[in-house]
Amino acid sequence: MTDSSTFEPVVVIHGGAWAIPDKLSSASVDGVCSAARTGYDVLRRGGTAVDAVEASVRSMEDCPAFDAGTGSVLNTKGEVEMDSVIMDGRRLQCGSVACVQNIKNPVSLARAVMEKTDHTLLVGKGANEFAEEIGIQTVPTDSLVTDDAREEWLQFMKFKTTVNVLFRSRAEQTALPSTVCDTVGHDTVGAVALDKFGNTAAATSTGGITAKRPGRVGDSPIVGAGAYADNESGAVSTTGHGESITKVCLAREVTHLMETGLAAQVASETALQKMAARVQGSGGVVTVSKDGGIGKHFTTERMAWAWIKEGKLHYGLECGENFVINL
Ligand code: ASP
């Protein structure tokens, strides 16, 4: 941690990459804007980057429009299994949970793994037992399941595919009726922040992909894939086709590119181009560099995003959008 308070606080949010159906678009945009305000308030009051990204992600886990916490998508058995990660750029501390059920806010459990255990990742039953031990809020898993998630699951079980195909080419998607493509709401959430002390942090949370195999863990809880934070470069949270993101360690790829001198935006674009070229995967990232540079980019049709710096909230959903509100 640096001693001086000379950094302009920044928070950057994503609400998941994919087409985002029209019926969820305004809820997604409202959700990311509200998450950005929540995180920025924490930073303005002198909170740390870790506090800010946890608060932002919690607010989106509680919003049923997103595939994280309440609103998580369902596996082939019709069950919720959630993944989350948080990373503190000061000393590269990190914590993750995977395949957890009946946890209202998986990001807070991930933070507890980071701060209260000697480990970096807890999964399934062990993670749930740890949650009970330390008094993290549990809820009936059914209370996390929304009607939209159930409807999406029914569609995908009917056509015996996973939402995986939606991150692939249009040609591969023709196997699916348009009703499926038009109704899925596939919205992992993530946040990155820079606090006034110059510390960076990143967090990501997801229910994964609809009709995944039970036990499937995607990129989101994997450090370097779903998120990465290092005060010496910056912080990144990712979203998109998990298996592709894992193969290229997308978040770490972005910080690596910033280490070579690229700006946050160029690093974000370059890393996603590499993922498309090497493994034909699509997705999105949000980035903040150690000096407050902002990056956000996606290779899917839409990604809800928002960021706040110097009292201005920027947000958008479609490529090229950049709405601005003075706070
Ligand atoms: N990356 C997530 C996963 O594959 C999904 C997403 O970001 O939408 O689990």
Side-chain angles (χ1 to χ4, degrees):
M1 187 195 269
T2 54
D3 304 314
S4 56
S5 315
T6 53
F7 289 80
E8 181 65 39
V10 182
V11 63
V12 196
I13 306 292
H14 72 74
W18 176 233
I20 322 255
D22 289 339
K23 68 171 183 174
L24 280 180
S25 60
S26 59
S28 300
V29 170
D30 289 351
V32 291
C33 289
S34 152
R37 287 171 187 265
T38 301
Y40 195 65
D41 273 355
V42 171
L43 296 174
R44 238 189 346 209
R45 290 198 311 267
T48 65
V50 170
D51 293 334
V53 296
E54 182 191 12
S56 291
V57 168
R58 278 181 71 99
S59 83
M60 292 186 283
E61 288 175 337
D62 289 341
C63 172
F66 297 113
D67 169 22
T70 305
S72 287
V73 300
L74 308 178
N75 67 17
T76 48
K77 285 188 176 162
E79 294 170 343
V80 163
E81 286 180 334
M82 300 170 291
D83 305 330
S84 184
V85 64
I86 193 163
M87 185 158 185
D88 182 339
R90 282 179 287 195
R91 290 190 297 117
L92 307 187
Q93 281 184 298
C94 49
S96 311
V97 291
C99 274
V100 293
Q101 301 190 304
N102 75 297
I103 301 295
K104 186 151 167 46
N105 294 106
V107 71
S108 295
L109 185 55
R111 183 171 181 172
V113 171
M114 172 171 84
E115 291 177 345
K116 298 186 165 114
T117 77
D118 297 328
H119 309 303
T120 54
L121 170 62
L122 290 181
V123 305
K125 199 164 155 262
N128 275 90
E129 280 169 8
F130 171 62
E132 249 170 63
E133 207 178 293
I134 60 166
I136 288 267
Q137 187 182 2
T138 58
V139 289
T141 303
D142 272 358
S143 70
L144 302 173
V145 180
T146 59
D147 290 345
D148 279 346
R150 244 186 230 110
E151 190 195 321
E152 184 174 317
W153 176 75
L154 282 170
Q155 292 281 343
F156 277 86
M157 292 308 285
K158 189 159 144 203
F159 295 100
K160 299 216 176 345
T161 183
T162 70
V163 77
N164 216 17
V165 74
L166 298 178
F167 290 108
R168 299 289 175 178
S169 67
R170 271 280 168 220
E172 285 170 278
Q173 291 170 26
T174 51
L176 288 175
S178 61
T179 48
V180 177
C181 298
D182 294 346
T183 55
V184 290
H186 187 72
D187 309 293
T188 290
V189 303
V192 296
L194 175 74
D195 65 30
K196 66 179 186 178
F197 306 106
N199 300 310
T200 59
T204 305
S205 186
T206 188
I209 58 174
T210 296
K212 63 186 179 180
R213 254 176 199 280
R216 178 264 189 189
V217 174
D219 60 302
S220 304
I222 308 300
V223 171
Y228 202 73
D230 182 350
N231 279 9
E232 294 187 2
S233 50
V236 183
S237 170
T238 70
T239 170
H241 182 240
E243 283 69 10
S244 301
I245 293 172
T246 301
K247 286 174 193 165
V248 300
C249 299
L250 185 61
R252 179 67 185 111
E253 179 69 19
V254 177
T255 60
H256 165 71
L257 290 168
M258 290 195 290
E259 283 161 13
T260 69
L262 294 191
Q265 182 61 29
V266 183
S268 304
E269 290 172 16
T270 308
L272 280 164
Q273 277 156 14
K274 175 179 172 180
M275 186 167 88
R278 293 290 285 121
V279 296
Q280 291 76 53
S282 50
V285 303
V286 291
T287 304
V288 63
S289 65
K290 65 178 179 185
D291 49 8
I294 288 156
K296 53 113 189 92
H297 190 60
F298 50 99
T299 51
T300 52
E301 281 180 51
R302 287 174 162 174
M303 179 178 84
W305 60 269
W307 54 267
I308 303 182
K309 184 177 177 181
E310 290 166 347
K312 280 193 171 63
L313 166 69
H314 296 247
Y315 65 94
L317 179 73
E318 312 254 359
C319 191
E321 279 181 355
N322 182 14
F323 301 105
V324 186
I325 295 175
N326 285 314
L327 299 178

